[in-house]
Amino acid sequence: DTAVSQTPKYLVTQMGNDKSIKCEQNLGHDTMYWYKQDSKKFLKIMFSYNNKELIINETVPNRFSPKSPDKAHLNLHINSLELGDSAVYFCASSRLGLSEQFFGPGTRLTVL
Amino acid sequence: DAKTTQPPSMDCAEGRAANLPCNHSTISGNEYVYWYRQIHSQGPQYIIHGLKNNETNEMASLIITEDRKSSTLILPHATLRDTAVYYCIVRVELGFQKLVFGTGTRLLVSP
């Protein structure tokens, strides 16, 4: 039983393309997150959604647009991909406000 | 959120206890201490958290000093699978606040 799943696991694409990463959780949580881990392994939060509403936006470029169709899903769409977007993107979920977050396996994005 | 300081790396022999320290001298009264770990190429994994009392679960024990300015995560019998980066994070329990990951401690468990 996968608690937090992400697709795809690997994504290789050219600069300028638009791509999406999908995340689903089956834990019944109401809060979901996207994190970015760069090549130096720094893990930083990008967005957080609670009940489909954006509650944290960490000054991420507006080329990144999260979308939450329902409480169990939080997708990340990235427009006009740049080299610097290459990273591992992790989705996570939790109950409202609690810090016990459950992370997905990550999506390794490589922009060529 | 209070800042934390952790040693960049530690070594531990398999089967021995791994004691990972964390300093959080500016912690506020309503901030909890959380520990997460990240095994290579995987998503971070929650381990344990506490406010001021010592805590234990099936994965680890958390010892928080009486003044709450530091804590120690204890893995009682480290295995090779415990090799990971361990993150100490302090934040309030509730509210719309983010988890702020520092650089953590890279624990290497050797045979």
Side-chain angles (χ1 to χ4, degrees):
Chain A
D1 287 349
T2 304
V4 182
S5 59
Q6 296 179 227
T7 52
K9 188 168 175 60
Y10 299 96
L11 187 51
V12 181
T13 188
Q14 301 285 334
M15 266 197 314
N17 284 350
D18 303 337
K19 290 293 178 185
S20 292
I21 305 172
K22 296 188 176 184
C23 177
E24 176 181 2
Q25 55 95 3
N26 63 5
L27 298 167
H29 291 160
D30 51 16
T31 305
M32 297 184 71
Y33 312 80
W34 277 110
Y35 288 82
K36 178 181 179 181
Q37 188 165 41
D38 61 23
S39 57
K40 293 189 174 144
K41 303 298 185 184
F42 290 119
L43 189 63
K44 288 192 66 175
I45 191 166
M46 301 173 68
F47 301 102
S48 176
Y49 269 73
N50 173 253
N51 281 326
K52 303 193 296 176
E53 290 195 24
L54 181 67
I55 55 173
I56 293 176
N57 182 343
E58 284 293 297
T59 53
V60 176
N62 54 18
R63 297 183 296 105
F64 291 78
S65 51
K67 287 198 171 42
S68 182
D70 55 57
K71 286 198 310 184
H73 296 84
L74 180 62
N75 303 322
L76 184 65
H77 188 75
I78 315 171
N79 289 328
S80 304
L81 278 155
E82 301 177 357
L83 293 177
D85 298 331
S86 294
V88 181
Y89 292 84
F90 290 100
C91 176
S93 73
S94 73
R95 292 209 319 225
L96 173 60
L98 297 184
S99 289
E100 184 178 349
Q101 295 181 13
F102 293 78
F103 284 77
T107 295
R108 181 174 294 276
L109 172 64
T110 302
V111 182
L112 304 175
Chain B
D1 290 339
K3 290 190 67 174
T4 62
T5 304
Q6 300 177 250
S9 63
M10 294 185 65
D11 294 325
C12 180
E14 189 178 19
R16 305 297 292 268
N19 298 299
L20 293 95
C22 179
N23 285 325
H24 31 78
S25 58
T26 59
I27 192 170
S28 301
N30 62 345
E31 286 183 315
Y32 285 68
V33 180
Y34 283 80
W35 284 83
Y36 277 76
R37 74 179 182 184
Q38 187 174 23
I39 296 170
H40 179 63
S41 297
Q42 297 182 20
Q45 177 189 24
Y46 165 83
I47 301 172
I48 198 167
H49 74 283
L51 182 62
K52 53 184 177 183
N53 297 321
N54 298 338
E55 301 288 345
T56 295
N57 63 19
E58 64 279 2
M59 289 182 69
S61 295
L62 174 60
I63 309 296
I64 302 173
T65 58
E66 196 166 334
D67 63 7
R68 303 206 328 119
K69 293 185 177 181
S70 65
S71 59
T72 301
L73 179 75
I74 301 173
L75 308 178
H77 306 287
T79 70
L80 299 180
R81 286 179 295 182
D82 292 322
T83 292
V85 178
Y86 288 77
Y87 298 97
C88 170
I89 300 166
V90 294
R91 56 152 280 172
V92 296
E93 173 75 351
L94 296 176
F96 297 125
Q97 293 195 23
K98 56 198 178 197
L99 277 179
V100 178
F101 287 84
T103 52
T105 295
R106 183 172 297 277
L107 175 69
L108 176 63
V109 181
S110 302

